[in-house]
Amino acid sequence: MNQDASPSLFSEQGPLARAIDGFRPRAAQVEMAAAVELALHDQIPLVVEAGTGTGKTYAYLAPVLAAGKKVVVSTGSRNLQEQLFHRDLPTLARAMEYHQPVALLKGRANYLCLERMALLDDAVPGLSPEGLADLQKVRRFAPMTTSGDVGDIPGLPERSEILPLVTSTNDNCLGRDCGHYQDCHLVKARTRAMEAQVVVVNHHLFFADMAVRDTGFGQLIPDAEAYILDEAHQLPEIAGQYFGQSQSSRQFIELARDLRLAQKVEARDMAQLGKAADQLERNSLDLRLAFGLGAGRGQLRPALARPEVGQALARLKDSLGFCHEVLKLCLGRGEQLDQCFERLIGLRTQLESVTRVEENGYSYWYDCSRLHVGLHKTPLSVAERFSAELAREGVSWIFTSATLAVGESFAHFCADLGLERCRTLQLDSPFDYSRQSRLCVPRYLPETNGPGRGRVLADSLVSTLERVPGGSFFLCTSYQVMNEVAEVLRARLDRTILVQGEDNKVRLLEQFGQDGRAVLVATGSFWEGIDVRGNALQCVVIDKLPFSAPDDPLLSARLEDCRRRGEDGFARVQLPKAIITLKQGVGRLIRDVEDRGVLVITDNRLVNRAYGADFIRSLPAMPRTRSLAGLAEFLSTLE
C-alpha cells in the first residue's frame, strides 16, 4: 500500500464515501489512518489516543484491509467486539471490495459444550425453576445453532445458573479425547480463526492465549503480522490477571459437581467417590465463610494468618487429598473420571502456589463475592513480560483508546506495558465542547468520605436533574453511594430511576433510551463502553474523582513497591489511573456532533487541590462554572 493511500481511502470521492451513507472525511481520522499505515510498514509500535468521534475503528481497519496483512484485532468489551465483527468489518469489506475470510473468536465460556450437555441428559443436578426454564431454552437452541454462541440464545440471562453446566472450562474440557471433538463449537471457531485473515478477539482471550503459549500447550489465536489493541487503557490490568495466577472456590465446587456426574455415569458402585465430592464441596464453602460474610477484597498474607482461615484452608487441602486417593482407585474406568483426576492434580498444585505468599514481585490478595472466594497472585508489573512480546520480529503493534494520555503524556501507559521505543499520537475529538457542553463543580459539597454523602448529593442535585429535558447518568464510585442516591431520587424525583444490578446492562440501557427522561444510577461498569446518543442522555453526574480505594490490595502492593524504589506512588500509580478513569466517565456525555449536555463533578478536590489541574488538563475544554444555578440557563437551551 502506498504511503499516500489513506487520504484517498477517506476522501469525499473515495470508496468509503461511495459505499457508506453520510460518510464525511475527518482530518483526525485521516491522520490516524496514515499513522497506522506507517506502523504497518516500519513496524515501530504506535500508541494513539483518539478522542470520541474521531472514527478510530475505520482509521485502523481500512489501512490493514488495504495492506492485505493477517491481523488480530482485540477489544476490551464484548459490545465493541460484536460491533466490529457484525457492523464495521462488513461495511468496510463491501466498500473496499475485500474478500478475505474474517472470524470472530470468543473465550470458551461463550460456546455450548456438547459433551457437558450430553452429561446433563444422564443426570440433571438440582436447579431452581428459573434454571430449569433456562435449560429448556438451551436445549431448543442447540440443534439450530451453527456457531454455538450462548449469547445468541433468546432470553437467556447473562448470569444464568445453567451456563456453567452447558459450557466448558480449561479444567473440565476433555480436548481431543472428547467424543464430540469433531463437532465441537469451540474447535470449529478456533479453526475458522486460524484460517481467517482478520480475527476479532477480546483482551481476556488475547492474554489467555499468551499465558497458554508460555506453558507450551499450543495456542488459542493465530499468529499475525499486525496486532491492533483497541480500548488499550485496560491492557495493564487485564495482563496482570493472566501473567499471575488465580483460583476460586468455584473451581473446587465445580469439580465436586463433575465428580458426582462422573460417578453416576462411570462408577455407580463407588459410593466413596460421592462422599469425597460432598466433603470437597462442603470445605470449599467453609473456606468462603472463613473470610467473613461481606463481599470485598483484601491482602491474602494477613488473612491466611487468621486461625479460622488457616484451619479452613487446611481442611480443604485434606479433602483434596481424600479425593486424590479415591480417584486413583477409579483410574481407567472412564474419560470423565480420568479427566477429573488430572484437574484435581492441577488444582492442588495451583492452590499451593497462590497460598505460598513469600515470593517478591507479586501482590497476594483475595476477593469475596456472595458465594465464592478467589485467591490471587498478581505480578506488580507486566512490562518485562509484555516487552518480550513486542520484540517479536516482523510484527506491527497498534494501541488505541479514547483515554491513554495523562495531559499530553503517554509515559504512564508506555511504562506499564514496557513500550520503550514507540511512536505516539494524540488526536482531539472533533466535537465542539465549548458549544455543546458545560462543566460544573458545585460549591458547598460534603466531604468525599462523609457519612450519608450520597443522600446529601442527591438532595442537592434534584432541582438540577429536574431541569434536564432528557435523561441523566449518575455515576458513582461505590455501591453504598449508588444505593443512597437511588433511594433519594426515587423519593423526590418524578422520573424513572434505573439502578445498576436491578436488571442486566443491556436491558437497563434499552429502558433508558426508550424512556428518554430517565436517570440511571450506576457504578464502575457504566463508566466506559456505553454509547447513548441524542437527547436520551443530556447530563452526567460523577460523584467524586475515581481514585482506587486505599485498601485495594493490588494498589497497596504497587505503592509499597514504588516506596522501595524511591518513587512517588501517588504520582506514578494513583493519579494517572484516576485521570484515565475520569476521562472514560466524562466520555459518556457527548457522543455525536449534535449532542449537547452538562457534566457535574461533585468533588471539591478538582478545584482546591494542586493535582486537580492535572485532571482538568486531561478533560475536554468545557466552559466551567461553580454554580448549579449557572447551569440553568444552558439547560434551558437543550431540547
Side-chain angles (χ1 to χ4, degrees):
M1 183 172 177
N2 298 327
Q3 286 303 115
D4 61 352
S6 288
S8 63
L9 276 174
F10 291 92
S11 70
E12 291 188 13
Q13 287 77 41
L16 303 187
R18 289 195 300 270
I20 302 169
D21 288 342
F23 180 86
R24 295 285 182 275
R26 308 172 207 179
Q29 188 179 51
V30 174
E31 187 177 352
M32 178 174 172
V36 170
E37 198 174 332
L38 181 58
L40 294 174
H41 174 72
D42 66 14
Q43 293 169 1
I44 295 174
L46 173 66
V47 180
V48 185
E49 179 178 273
T52 308
T54 303
K56 62 183 168 63
T57 307
Y58 284 3
Y60 62 67
L61 282 178
V64 169
L65 298 188
K69 290 183 177 284
K70 178 138 186 167
V71 61
V72 169
V73 183
S74 182
T75 73
S77 65
R78 186 183 300 175
N79 284 349
L80 182 54
Q81 190 184 11
E82 297 274 358
Q83 176 191 310
L84 271 169
F85 185 75
H86 293 296
R87 191 183 78 185
D88 298 336
L89 261 173
T91 301
L92 272 179
R94 284 193 300 272
M96 299 175 65
E97 298 183 356
Y98 182 83
H99 302 296
Q100 297 299 317
V102 299
L104 176 69
L105 183 60
K106 300 180 181 180
R108 66 166 61 249
N110 293 279
Y111 299 97
L112 286 179
C113 173
L114 301 176
E115 172 69 14
R116 291 182 65 74
M117 288 190 64
L119 281 176
L120 278 182
D121 290 337
D122 290 307
V124 178
L127 292 171
S128 68
E130 294 79 14
L132 288 169
D134 288 344
L135 178 57
Q136 293 311 309
K137 293 173 189 172
V138 172
R139 283 178 168 158
R140 284 195 296 271
F141 172 79
M144 299 183 291
T145 180
T146 54
S147 70
D149 190 333
V150 296
D152 295 337
I153 302 176
L156 187 71
E158 286 183 11
R159 298 186 181 278
S160 170
E161 65 182 292
I162 198 65
L163 284 173
L165 301 177
V166 297
T167 59
S168 68
T169 65
N170 284 328
D171 291 335
N172 61 32
C173 176
L174 297 174
R176 292 183 179 276
D177 294 330
C178 178
H180 299 276
Y181 184 81
Q182 297 301 324
D183 299 314
C184 175
H185 293 300
L186 177 62
V187 170
K188 288 179 178 178
R190 287 180 179 170
T191 301
R192 287 192 294 269
M194 293 295 172
E195 295 170 350
Q197 190 77 354
V198 179
V199 186
V200 182
V201 301
N202 59 58
H203 296 337
H204 286 276
L205 185 60
F206 180 83
F207 286 111
D209 174 68
M210 213 176 282
V212 165
R213 293 187 194 213
D214 283 348
T215 66
F217 287 101
Q219 61 190 85
L220 308 175
I221 59 178
D223 290 322
E225 298 166 275
Y227 294 91
I228 299 173
L229 295 109
D230 202 340
E231 300 177 310
H233 61 281
Q234 300 179 13
L235 293 176
E237 188 169 337
I238 296 174
Q241 296 173 26
Y242 287 90
F243 295 161
Q245 288 183 294
S246 292
Q247 190 162 47
S248 169
S249 58
R250 180 194 298 272
Q251 291 173 277
F252 299 115
I253 291 169
E254 287 179 350
L255 175 60
R257 183 171 57 204
D258 290 344
L259 279 172
R260 291 192 200 97
L261 286 173
Q263 190 241 339
K264 288 175 182 175
V265 175
E266 297 175 344
R268 289 183 179 274
D269 58 320
M270 285 289 294
Q272 195 79 334
L273 194 55
K275 291 177 183 177
D278 291 343
Q279 186 187 92
L280 176 60
E281 180 168 4
R282 185 168 60 251
N283 288 334
S284 300
L285 294 170
D286 286 347
L287 180 67
R288 166 64 190 93
L289 290 173
F291 280 86
L293 294 177
R297 313 165 107 196
Q299 297 280 6
L300 189 55
R301 284 189 185 96
L304 291 179
R306 287 172 15 215
E308 63 274 22
V309 174
Q311 290 164 12
L313 182 61
R315 287 195 296 271
L316 176 61
K317 289 180 177 179
D318 286 345
S319 62
L320 287 167
F322 180 37
C323 283
H324 184 269
E325 293 305 312
V326 176
L327 269 172
K328 274 202 302 188
L329 302 175
C330 304
L331 288 178
R333 295 187 60 171
E335 287 179 358
Q336 294 294 329
L337 288 167
D338 289 354
Q339 201 263 348
C340 284
F341 184 72
E342 290 177 18
R343 278 168 68 187
L344 177 65
I345 292 172
L347 289 174
R348 290 182 81 183
T349 303
Q350 195 172 28
L351 184 61
E352 288 299 326
S353 177
V354 297
T355 56
R356 195 168 50 243
V357 293
E358 300 81 19
E359 198 173 344
N360 290 327
Y362 291 89
S363 170
Y364 293 88
W365 55 286
Y366 69 86
D367 67 320
C368 292
S369 63
R370 188 172 64 87
L371 296 176
H372 300 288
V373 59
L375 310 178
H376 309 279
K377 174 185 177 182
T378 303
L380 297 178
S381 170
V382 300
E384 184 178 347
R385 171 64 186 84
F386 198 77
S387 61
E389 203 69 25
L390 294 168
R392 284 163 53 187
E393 290 188 10
V395 176
S396 300
W397 293 88
I398 292 110
F399 304 87
T400 185
S401 171
T403 55
L404 288 177
V406 176
E408 297 179 355
S409 171
F410 290 88
H412 173 71
F413 176 79
C414 292
D416 278 354
L417 285 186
L419 278 157
E420 294 179 0
R421 176 176 176 257
C422 64
R423 193 180 290 118
T424 62
L425 177 63
Q426 190 170 24
L427 299 168
D428 291 333
S429 168
F431 301 148
D432 183 358
Y433 285 95
S434 63
R435 177 186 66 83
Q436 292 178 251
S437 63
R438 296 291 184 271
L439 165 61
C440 179
V441 183
R443 293 187 179 90
Y444 316 120
L445 292 168
E447 290 298 315
T448 52
N449 293 314
R453 185 173 188 270
R455 294 187 185 89
V456 177
L457 292 180
D459 275 323
S460 66
L461 290 169
V462 165
S463 59
T464 301
L465 294 171
E466 282 176 339
R467 289 193 180 99
V468 179
S472 303
F473 275 6
F474 203 124
L475 300 179
C476 306
T477 51
S478 75
Y479 285 100
Q480 181 178 340
V481 170
M482 179 187 81
N483 291 327
E484 290 175 359
V485 167
E487 182 185 340
V488 171
L489 294 185
R490 280 178 168 161
R492 295 196 53 196
L493 197 61
D494 186 22
R495 295 194 181 205
T496 301
I497 309 298
L498 303 170
V499 183
Q500 177 184 328
E502 294 185 351
D503 203 340
N504 76 34
K505 194 172 178 178
V506 172
R507 282 196 290 268
L508 281 174
L509 286 171
E510 282 177 0
Q511 265 186 281
F512 182 82
Q514 289 165 4
D515 185 286
R517 297 179 72 249
V519 179
L520 173 62
V521 189
T523 61
S525 64
F526 283 83
W527 282 63
E528 60 179 280
I530 304 296
D531 188 10
V532 180
R533 303 183 184 210
N535 295 348
L537 180 57
Q538 294 183 322
C539 173
V540 171
V541 180
I542 292 176
D543 80 314
K544 67 176 181 178
L545 299 179
F547 287 107
S548 297
D551 59 351
D552 178 274
L554 196 51
L555 173 64
S556 59
R558 284 179 176 149
L559 293 177
E560 175 62 21
D561 187 56
C562 284
R563 188 189 64 75
R564 282 199 296 266
R565 287 187 280 125
E567 296 180 353
D568 180 350
F570 179 78
R572 169 69 182 86
V573 178
Q574 288 176 284
L575 184 60
K577 187 167 186 266
I579 288 173
I580 287 170
T581 304
L582 183 68
K583 287 170 71 173
Q584 282 289 333
V586 170
R588 296 318 99 215
L589 181 63
I590 303 297
R591 307 295 301 175
D592 191 83
V593 290
E594 299 302 323
D595 285 358
R596 299 178 76 213
V598 298
L599 171 69
V600 183
I601 302 179
T602 55
D603 191 333
N604 279 322
R605 293 176 295 178
L606 199 61
V607 292
N608 64 18
R609 295 288 178 91
Y611 59 72
D614 295 317
F615 283 95
I616 294 292
R617 278 195 297 271
S618 295
L619 296 181
M622 299 176 172
R624 302 196 295 271
T625 178
R626 295 297 314 275
S627 166
L628 287 171
L631 286 183
E633 183 180 348
F634 184 79
L635 286 170
S636 68
T637 68
L638 303 182
E639 295 179 358

